Each structure stands twice: as structure tokens, then as C-alpha cells.
Amino acid sequence: QIKMKKILFFTLITVFSASTMFAQKKVLKDTKRAIDSNNLEEARTLIKQAINHPETDNDPETWKLYGDIGNKAFDNERMNQMLGKPANEKVMYEGLLESFYPYVKADSLGQIPDEKGKVRNKVRKDIASILKANHPYYINAGVYFNDQKDYAKASECFEIYWTIPNLPMFEENKDEFVLDSTYQIIKYYAIITAIQADDHEKAIELIQRAIEEQPFIENSAYRESDLYELLASEYLQVGDSTKFMEILHVGAEKFPESKYFIPNLINIFIRQGDHEKAMEYLDKAIANDPANTCELSSVKAALLVEKKDYAAAEVEYNKALEQDPNCERALEGLAVNYILQAQELKEVTATLTNRQQQIENDQKTLEFYQKSLPLLEKYTELLKARNADESEIKSALLKLRNVYYNLSLLGVDKSKELQEVEAELNINQ
């Protein structure tokens, strides 16, 4: 009796399983029928049953049909477009996007060996043919979603365009795709739109992928160094200062001519108080970018001033002025360099009792102020000529006032100039 019950039980299971499988196969047939009759919403409802049912969720045909739904929506609208009829671009490109991932999954399931260890991928040929034909349209889709400000979908479409030639199904015939400068530009678009979507983790992933894929193809949109700049910037966005510094160092070595990596490193070393490292990179920057000597030598000089190495600072400021006589930063910096020396000498003189030494110190102090004057006057004129910010002009005038005042104290009559500056500053005497 017990044995009969067991047999009956297993028989029921077998019958139940067969009927369930039959039901699910019918769902797939109904899905195909709905696709063929353009009833795509019905097809979507049916396919959701199939992809969530254990009898059909691992069947390559299930996922192939899922991809076919999106592809049919795309094809319908594309045909309208080709015939000059009204086409719904949203439906068209949403369909194109909808088709990709199910097709990829169908192909991967089709590659699983059967019980005999053989791979019988019945869906690959059709899927490969469809994806090859649809490949260029993912650019159009990306542009469409970008115009709609749906940057996440735009990035997704550009990334799919980037990915298709690298799919396993095209491994043996990758040369069918033209991987030229346009292909390289689309990688960049995928990255930029991910950044615009504020998906910084995704952007980092895409940038790293682009860097790893060699060779880099020269193009009109960006340089190879731009990828490293974007990567550093994205690490900064996500708060990973260690990775940010790491990429700055890599970029500085790989692209010494870039105006991003070394200047950023210099700024960081300055903020950290590591002036030796800052000056080491400043020397590299000056060697790599002589045209920017005005800015770079002035920064180096300012660091030397902080160390009170006034003579070395003067050399650097003069280098900057040799390269650009109107280098505002150097004109102001060198003037301040002389003023600081004059002020320090005044403080020393105030402690002296030897009259002869006082006279000698006063003469040196006078010389420092006199050296600073033409630099400051030229600097102020340049600021006014370019309509600089009021605060910049005021700062320059205050320095001029200080020099005119001290020169007058030291026997050089600058009372007229002093009055003019104070009038500009609205200072009552």
C-alpha cells in the first residue's frame, strides 16, 4: 500500500511538471504570437511570467523573445522614420535599450554546455545579426536621451555602443566593426553623460575601462590625458583623496606637459606645508611649460619669500618678468619682497644706538622702497587698465600709500603722490 502511494505520488509530480512545462511553453508561443501581431504590451506581460518561472527563466529562447519585444518596438518606429511617416523617437530608443540586456543574457545562457558537454547556442546567430545591424543606432539613442536631459540613459546607450564589438558573440569577427576615432569619442560621451547624471561610481568605472583599453585612438574630442584628469576629478567628487593623489602622481609622470596634474600637486603640497616638494614640482612644471613662467616662477618665489630667502625669490621674480614684463603676479610679488626687507631693516634700526649704523640702515631701507616703487606703480596701472576688481586695486593702492609714506619719512618727498593715493582711497589726512 505504501509502495503504491509512492508510485502514485511520483506519477503526480511527473504529470504536474509536464503540464507546468507545457503551460510555460504555451506562454512563450503566445509571446511570439503577440510580438508578430505587434501587441507588444501583451508580449511584455507574458514574457514577465516566463522570466520569473523556473521552467523557462533559464531558457535562452525566453530571453531572446524578451529582446525581440524591444527590437520590434525599435524596428516599427525606425521603419516609419525611413518611410517619412511620424515616428515616436521615445518608443524607438526605449525599445532599442530594452532589447540589449535580454539579448546578451540569451546568448550567455545559450553558451552553457548541455548534458553531453556540447554547446548548442541556437540563438546566437540571430542575436549577433540584430546587434550588428542595431549597433550604430545606439549613438542616435544616446544623443536623443542626452537632448532629453536623461543623462543616465544617454550614458547607458553610449556604453552599449562601446560594448557591442567586445561581446563574446563577436570574438571571432570583431573586424566587422570599424573601431575608429568615432568609437573613441563615444567612450568619452558615455563617461561625460555618467558624470552629468551624478553617477560618479559609474563614471570612475567607465574611465578606468577607457584607460585600460589600448591603443588610445587620437580624436577631435579629447586627449588621453583628459581621461586621467577626469578620473582624478571623479575621485575628488567621491571624497577619495588617496586615489586622487595617486592619479595626480601617475598623470604628472605620464603627461608632464599637462597643466592639471603638476599644478594640483603643487597646490596640495603648499596647503600641506611641504614647500620642498612643492618647489620640486614647480621646477618640473617650469621646465615642461616655459610659456607659463610668469605664474610658476612667481609661485616659487612666493614660497622662497615665506622662507625669508629674499635673494633667491628676487631671482625667480626676475625670471618671470624676463618672460613677461607685464606679469602682474611678479610685479606685485617682487615689490612686496623689497617692502618686507625694508620693514625688517626698519625694525632692526629701531633697536640700534650706533648713529652711523642707523644712517647706513636707513640708506638701505630707502633703496628697498625705491626699488619697490616702479614695480607697484606699473602693477597698479595694469590693474586699472584691465578694470580689475575693486578690491585688487584697493590692495595695490594701500601698498603704494605705504611706500610713498615711508619714502617721505626717509627724505624723498612723495607728499603729492601720497595725497593722490589717499584721495583715491577716500582716506582723510
Side-chain angles (χ1 to χ4, degrees):
Q1 184 68 29
I2 292 171
K3 188 175 180 183
M4 283 300 293
K5 282 184 178 178
K6 281 186 177 179
I7 291 169
L8 181 62
F9 177 70
F10 286 122
T11 304
L12 285 170
I13 289 176
T14 306
V15 171
F16 179 74
S17 297
S19 65
T20 305
M21 186 176 290
F22 177 79
Q24 286 309 117
K25 289 294 182 185
K26 185 176 184 304
V27 168
L28 294 182
K29 282 183 181 178
D30 288 344
T31 303
K32 191 172 187 316
R33 174 191 51 74
I35 294 170
D36 291 340
S37 61
N38 266 331
N39 195 340
L40 300 186
E41 285 312 308
E42 182 189 350
R44 286 186 177 101
T45 303
L46 289 166
I47 205 66
K48 281 174 186 172
Q49 293 178 37
I51 63 173
N52 290 304
H53 197 284
E55 293 292 346
T56 45
D57 66 342
N58 285 319
D59 184 346
E61 187 59 33
T62 301
W63 292 92
K64 161 73 164 54
L65 282 171
Y66 192 178
D68 286 344
I69 296 169
N71 187 55
K72 183 73 170 179
F74 166 70
D75 270 345
N76 288 341
E77 300 304 325
R78 185 170 64 93
M79 186 57 69
N80 286 337
Q81 202 174 57
M82 288 170 64
L83 296 172
K85 295 179 181 179
N88 188 325
E89 285 191 304
K90 185 176 190 300
V91 170
M92 178 163 65
Y93 294 127
E94 290 278 7
L96 187 65
L97 192 54
E98 180 187 15
S99 69
F100 178 72
Y101 299 105
Y103 277 153
V104 171
K105 179 152 186 175
D107 182 64
S108 66
L109 289 170
Q111 287 298 103
I112 298 171
D114 61 18
E115 62 275 3
K116 293 180 181 178
K118 289 188 177 181
V119 174
R120 303 177 189 274
N121 193 340
K122 296 176 182 178
V123 297
R124 171 166 281 193
K125 187 178 178 182
D126 280 351
I127 290 172
S129 175
I130 292 166
L131 288 180
K132 176 71 174 64
N134 288 354
H135 182 232
Y137 292 98
Y138 282 97
I139 297 179
N140 301 20
V143 171
Y144 168 77
F145 288 120
N146 182 70
D147 289 344
Q148 302 303 309
K149 295 185 168 41
D150 191 340
Y151 301 117
K153 280 186 180 174
S155 179
E156 203 174 352
C157 290
F158 291 134
E159 185 188 357
I160 290 170
Y161 177 86
W162 175 1
T163 299
I164 286 174
N166 300 299
L167 291 173
M169 68 182 80
F170 297 114
E171 196 170 349
E172 293 178 7
N173 51 0
K174 192 173 179 178
D175 56 354
E176 290 182 11
F177 295 91
V178 181
L179 307 183
D180 56 5
S181 60
T182 299
Y183 183 69
Q184 196 78 38
I185 290 169
I186 299 306
K187 296 180 185 182
Y188 185 66
Y189 288 171
I191 292 163
I192 295 300
T193 45
I195 293 170
Q196 287 177 296
D198 288 326
D199 192 346
H200 300 291
E201 294 294 345
K202 182 68 176 177
I204 288 169
E205 177 192 318
L206 293 174
I207 298 165
Q208 287 172 331
R209 178 182 164 189
I211 286 171
E212 287 164 11
E213 289 183 3
Q214 294 296 325
F216 176 80
I217 302 166
E218 295 296 329
N219 62 85
S220 59
Y222 67 111
R223 298 162 298 178
E224 189 177 7
S225 60
D226 291 340
L227 292 174
Y228 290 82
E229 288 184 25
L230 284 170
L231 187 56
S233 176
E234 287 304 288
Y235 279 131
L236 203 56
Q237 281 286 339
V238 298
D240 192 335
S241 56
T242 303
K243 283 287 187 182
F244 173 64
M245 284 292 287
E246 185 183 306
I247 297 302
L248 287 184
H249 281 291
V250 170
E253 289 301 315
K254 196 171 176 67
F255 309 102
E257 74 288 350
S258 167
K259 293 182 181 179
Y260 179 86
F261 304 106
I262 289 178
N264 267 293
L265 282 170
I266 291 165
N267 287 334
I268 289 166
F269 290 133
I270 290 171
R271 285 200 302 271
Q272 292 174 344
D274 190 345
H275 289 182
E276 290 304 315
K277 269 285 184 189
M279 283 200 275
E280 178 190 325
Y281 275 94
L282 275 163
D283 287 334
K284 285 184 182 180
I286 292 165
N288 292 326
D289 187 15
N292 202 22
T293 302
C294 163
E295 181 72 18
L296 297 170
S297 285
S298 296
V299 173
K300 185 179 178 183
L303 294 177
L304 290 165
V305 169
E306 282 191 42
K307 292 169 65 178
K308 298 195 174 185
D309 192 345
Y310 300 120
E314 184 175 345
V315 169
E316 291 301 323
Y317 280 130
N318 280 323
K319 281 183 189 175
L321 290 168
E322 282 170 22
Q323 195 261 337
D324 178 8
N326 291 328
C327 178
E328 291 180 6
R329 192 161 185 172
L331 288 167
E332 182 193 26
L334 186 53
V336 170
N337 188 36
Y338 291 136
I339 292 168
L340 288 172
Q341 292 176 80
Q343 288 173 342
E344 286 184 9
L345 203 51
K346 275 173 66 181
E347 288 170 12
V348 170
T349 304
T351 65
L352 296 175
T353 54
N354 185 311
R355 183 59 190 152
Q356 184 59 37
Q357 188 64 56
Q358 286 176 337
I359 292 168
E360 288 176 11
N361 278 13
D362 283 346
Q363 183 57 36
K364 287 179 184 176
T365 302
L366 175 64
E367 287 170 7
F368 281 132
Y369 280 124
Q370 285 177 321
K371 282 182 177 181
S372 74
L373 186 57
L375 297 165
L376 270 182
E377 287 175 334
K378 183 174 182 180
Y379 171 60
T380 307
E381 285 169 14
L382 288 171
L383 291 179
K384 289 177 179 177
R386 68 172 174 86
N387 294 317
D389 189 79
E390 191 178 327
S391 62
E392 283 185 274
I393 295 172
K394 184 178 180 181
S395 176
L397 290 172
L398 286 169
K399 290 184 183 76
L400 266 179
R401 178 176 180 258
N402 174 37
V403 173
Y404 288 142
Y405 175 77
N406 279 287
L407 283 172
S408 295
L409 288 180
L410 292 163
V412 178
D413 185 12
K414 290 290 179 182
S415 55
K416 180 174 175 289
E417 290 87 343
L418 183 60
Q419 285 177 1
E420 288 172 357
V421 167
E422 287 181 337
E424 278 193 76
L425 288 164
N426 290 319
I427 296 173
N428 296 320
Q429 294 182 18

